[in-house]
Amino acid sequence: MLTQDHLKSRLSYDPATGVFVWLNGQCIGKVAGCLNTDGYLVIRINKKNHYGHQLAFLYMTGSIPDLIDHENQNTSDNRWDNLRVADKSKNSINSNKRKLSNTGYRGVVKTACGRWCSRITFQGQTIRLGNFVKIEDAANAYIVKRQELFGEFTPND
């Protein structure tokens, strides 16, 4: 198990930039880690891969929470002010729209009768927000409910 003391003996972390730098070994002074296919920084310490956002928490607080959210949705941005503890619902709400969204809006689908249905998932439960004639009204219903349920975790999209 990696400890804060061991981490600090191997790497320095700049909270303002989110950059880790090696303190020993063959790479002294070099930026640590590389991005994986999902865009997360991965740093190998003692033959084990660690995510940069988890290492940032360990470095700053001495522990790693179960789930960490990147506030600006950029998974490679490990600046301390961009990281926050989250639960599964809050982390999932602060994610990019599905790439295959056929409506262009989160939480909005077209019904078989041609109306726009708005719904949101919170703590594993789907909440129906209603059916609307205009897609914009359905999207607005979702945005209002999302802000009510998730507060500061609501993305700006």
Side-chain angles (χ1 to χ4, degrees), residues 30-150:
K30 292 187 179 181
V31 174
C34 59
L35 298 181
N36 70 9
T37 56
D38 295 323
Y40 288 94
L41 178 70
V42 177
I43 300 173
R44 191 163 182 84
I45 301 173
N46 297 337
K47 298 181 182 180
K48 185 173 181 204
N49 289 336
H50 300 273
Y51 287 113
H53 57 284
Q54 293 175 331
L55 293 178
F57 257 89
L58 181 59
Y59 196 96
M60 298 295 285
T61 69
S63 64
I64 301 172
D66 290 334
L67 201 54
I68 300 168
D69 181 60
H70 289 82
E71 186 172 348
N72 68 3
Q73 301 176 7
N74 179 349
T75 55
S76 66
D77 184 352
N78 293 309
R79 291 175 296 119
W80 184 242
D81 66 355
N82 187 47
L83 302 176
R84 58 190 174 181
V85 178
D87 60 27
K88 186 174 181 178
S89 287
K90 289 178 180 171
N91 191 52
S92 67
I93 200 69
N94 188 30
S95 64
N96 294 320
K97 284 184 274 195
R98 288 185 176 171
K99 291 179 181 170
L100 301 177
S101 172
N102 59 0
T103 67
Y105 294 98
R106 284 185 195 223
V108 177
V109 296
K110 193 165 191 176
T111 66
C113 64
R115 294 176 63 94
W116 300 99
C117 176
S118 183
R119 60 188 176 205
I120 192 167
T121 301
F122 180 67
Q123 296 178 343
Q125 301 288 327
T126 299
I127 302 167
R128 294 183 57 85
L129 305 175
N131 289 325
F132 302 86
V133 174
K134 295 180 180 176
I135 192 172
E136 294 83 5
D137 293 339
N140 190 51
Y142 177 86
I143 290 167
V144 168
K145 190 65 170 181
R146 180 177 69 176
Q147 181 63 41
E148 175 189 320
L149 293 173
F150 298 100

